[in-house]
């Protein structure tokens, strides 16, 4: 309980567009595999704050990956290769979504993820591509693209 309060006090939150993206993707039956540079407990707390997990470890996600599960942080592109191998996924079956153009973006591409989207809520354009990365100003911009790709 004190960890949850610390996270709230220090501004850890889940944006409403992230909640909408998760709910929209889950409704289509698409697997979601959250990955963080924090340990698994850190992501559990973030998911708890968003209403997607409880503090016993029950989660709306079948699995989530902290840096403790993949043996390194997202600063090492190999973690993306490990995730693909562990889950038996090919490069083009995955959409990496993050907010850090290097750790979540460039390193995911170098690690074998073919589809990468970076959210930058401060950009004026709703959606554009730059340097192999799809950039969106709101995560809800991804929902029509995901629906089109899965239909």
């Amino acid at each position: 309980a004190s960890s949850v309060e610390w996270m709230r006090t220090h501004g850890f939150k889940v944006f409403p567009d992230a909640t909408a993206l998760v709910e929209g993707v889950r409704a289509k039956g698409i697997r979601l595999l959250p990955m963080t540079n924090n340990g698994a407990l850190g992501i559990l707390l973030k998911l708890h704050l968003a209403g997607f997990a409880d503090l016993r470890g029950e989660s709306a996600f079948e699995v989530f990956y902290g840096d403790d599960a993949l043996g390194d942080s997202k600063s090492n592109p190999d973690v993306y290769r490990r995730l693909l191998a562990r889950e038996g996924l090919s490069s083009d079956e995955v959409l990496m979504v993050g907010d850090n153009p290097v750790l979540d973006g460039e390193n995911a591409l170098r690690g074998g993820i073919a589809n990468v989207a970076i959210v930058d809520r401060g950009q004026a354009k709703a959606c554009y591509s730059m340097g192999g990365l799809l950039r969106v100003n709101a995560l809800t911009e991804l929902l029509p693209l995901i629906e089109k790709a899965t239909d």
Side-chain angles (χ1 to χ4, degrees):
S2 62
S3 295
V4 171
E5 192 53 43
W6 183 90
M7 290 182 82
R8 282 190 182 117
T9 302
H10 288 86
F12 285 85
K13 64 179 179 179
V14 174
F15 288 91
D17 62 335
T19 299
L21 177 66
V22 168
E23 290 171 349
V25 170
R26 285 183 64 220
K28 291 195 68 63
I30 297 171
R31 296 175 69 203
L32 292 162
L33 306 170
M35 184 165 62
T36 180
N37 278 339
N38 301 307
L41 181 57
I43 196 166
L44 178 63
L45 289 173
K46 287 179 185 178
L47 293 173
H48 171 70
L49 289 172
F52 291 121
D54 66 29
L55 295 180
R56 294 181 314 247
E58 295 293 321
S59 170
F61 305 95
E62 64 185 84
V63 63
F64 46 82
Y65 288 99
D67 61 1
D68 48 352
L70 295 170
D72 207 340
S73 71
K74 293 186 279 185
S75 62
N76 181 349
D78 286 336
V79 299
Y80 294 99
R81 286 185 195 85
R82 290 180 198 136
L83 176 71
L84 291 172
R86 188 172 290 177
E87 293 297 327
L89 297 166
S90 67
S91 149
D92 61 343
E93 291 180 292
V94 175
L95 170 62
M96 172 62 186
V97 179
D99 61 1
N100 185 301
V102 174
L103 298 180
D104 300 321
E106 295 168 15
N107 286 356
L109 291 171
R110 282 197 289 270
I113 306 290
N115 307 293
V116 180
I118 300 297
V119 63
D120 176 359
R121 290 177 175 80
Q123 74 186 28
K125 290 184 179 180
C127 183
Y128 71 98
S129 181
M130 185 172 102
L133 303 174
L134 179 65
R135 296 176 183 258
V136 296
N137 65 4
L139 291 170
T140 49
E141 294 294 329
L142 295 174
L143 285 170
L145 301 173
I146 292 168
E147 288 174 6
K148 183 177 177 183
T150 57
D151 286 342

